Amino acid sequence: MLPLLRHCCDFGSHHALTWRSIFQTSGREQKQIRSWSAQCSANHEGASVSEKDSPKTILAVPDNSLLDARILYCTSPALGHNKEAHPESNKRVPAIVDALEKLELSPKHRGSQVLEIQNFNLASLDDVARVHSRSYITGLQKAMSAAADEGLILIEGTGPTYATETTFQESLLSAGAGITLVDSMVAASKLGPNPPLGFALVRPPGHHAVPQGPMGFCVFGNIAVAARYAQHQHGLKRVMIIDFDVHHGNGTSDAFYDDPDIFFLSTHQFGSYPGTGKINEVGQGDGEGTTLNLPLPGGSGDYAMRCAFDEVIAPSAQRFKPDIILVSAGYDAHALDPLAGLQFTTGTFYMLASSIKQLAKELCGGRCIFFLEGGYNLQTLSSSVADTFRAFLDEPSLAAQFDDPAMLFEEPTRRIKEAIENAKGIHSL
């Protein structure tokens, strides 16, 4: 019997809040997000989020849906979490969904191949507390009153991470999307040898959020919460996290730095924000050796990532033998992204998705879920995620339609080779 997926819409806070108030938007955007705002009642105004809230409605996903699906995805656009002119804006997920529709990769065009799970729970406070401190969680929840009064508050000392009155609830929902996909992936893997791949199209992103607080646009560590949930709820003891965001996933690294059962591997631009992720940071205590950082020189692109995958990522995964692979999929390494200096292309992201899919098939029964992290050029973000979907479907890349070779310059191959050889030496690959 297929396990049931949980579903509830308890969006409590210290003030009256409904789905309608979260999703007030223009007519054009309202059409784009109709599936996100559907089916949630506004009967929980003024309630606070707790472990003892109203009982959850159970939603079954039919066996044949999971058997036929090639892709499972959830969307959590956090439309209420927005700051004017901020790069991490509420336009990001709608831009992706719009591209999936235009490129005929949505459920409307693909039928049973592509399944969007529209009904899913917020992560529970216990789910989040497996990664973040209780004091941070409750402090953020209480801060929603100030955000409601002021409209927007800064929740990180250096200023880039903000909160609005909906941030707490929408961040719990984004973490819940990952949990739902873990549940669905496990259910699908019990039905057949080729489960669909998952993608949590969510924001705020998560990989910079440290156990004690927010950081770098990130509120809760969505992928870290999902990793702990996979271990705790489903017995998937050995979790591999691959992070190809242009910035080091310091929050994820901190959460698991001494854990021998979670292998965290990050490729990122050398010297970029937040300055962590040195090549000699390999974990500590029982977790020594299960953190691998590969800082790449500025200007690294497709050549660098193909070499990194073949010589570092794949051998690390083959040695670790994970039960599930989770991916922090940051698209800000694209050559046209405004916040960094690598030169990935749409084709690079297609290659990574295709290669990681094959790796998961070989090592852990195909169990693999991507989580949206960075990516701040809406055009390159949306086209790259769409090409990731095409890789999941084993269809040819459309990168030639989006990538102009004239935008690229020669990669620093000597420095790339040195970085890869250093990582291989440190980790005996």
Side-chain angles (χ1 to χ4, degrees), residues 278-356:
K278 303 293 192 296
I279 199 166
N280 60 353
E281 295 173 7
V282 298
Q284 67 184 10
D286 291 341
E288 185 173 353
T290 55
T291 294
L292 191 157
N293 290 303
L294 178 54
L296 295 170
S300 296
D302 194 73
Y303 167 81
M305 280 311 298
R306 289 178 186 273
C307 293
F309 186 87
D310 291 343
E311 299 185 43
V312 177
I313 298 174
S316 296
Q318 288 159 356
R319 183 169 66 188
F320 183 67
K321 296 180 175 59
D323 297 315
I324 188 171
I325 295 175
L326 306 180
V327 181
S328 272
Y331 293 87
D332 44 4
H334 194 283
L336 297 180
D337 195 274
L339 294 192
L342 296 187
Q343 50 174 347
F344 291 12
T345 65
T346 309
T348 310
F349 295 116
Y350 177 92
M351 178 274 296
L352 283 168
S354 180
S355 300
I356 293 171

Side-chain angles (χ1 to χ4, degrees), residues 11 26 47 72 89 135 140-141 171 184 225 244 379 387 414:
F11 266 72
S26 69
L72 292 175
S89 77
S135 61
L140 180 64
Q141 184 179 11
S171 297
S184 303
V225 170
F244 58 71
Q379 182 175 346
D387 230 37
R414 180 184 61 80

Side-chain angles (χ1 to χ4, degrees), residues 143-159:
M144 293 299 95
S145 295
D149 293 338
E150 300 176 27
L152 185 144
I153 59 174
L154 298 179
I155 55 174
E156 182 188 345
T158 55

Side-chain angles (χ1 to χ4, degrees), residues 7-73:
H7 166 54
C8 79
C9 300
D10 191 357
F11 266 72
S13 73
H14 292 286
H15 55 280
L17 179 66
T18 69
W19 275 97
R20 180 174 296 176
S21 67
I22 292 174
F23 289 108
Q24 284 177 341
T25 183
S26 69
R28 175 180 171 276
E29 289 173 324
Q30 188 66 45
K31 285 184 178 181
Q32 288 181 320
I33 62 167
R34 60 189 178 276
S35 65
W36 300 325
S37 57
Q39 302 182 34
C40 286
S41 85
N43 294 330
H44 302 286
E45 293 187 13
S48 64
V49 177
S50 77
E51 300 308 311
K52 298 179 181 179
D53 281 339
S54 57
K56 298 173 174 62
T57 303
I58 301 299
L59 174 71
V61 176
D63 288 27
N64 59 349
S65 295
L66 289 178
L67 279 171
D68 295 341
R70 305 281 298 281
I71 297 174
L72 292 175
Y73 72 100

Side-chain angles (χ1 to χ4, degrees), residues 83 86-88 154-162 215-218 273:
K83 179 182 178 183
H86 197 284
E88 208 293 291
L154 298 179
I155 55 174
E156 182 188 345
T158 55
T161 311
Y162 62 88
M215 186 174 176
F217 310 166
C218 301
Y273 178 91

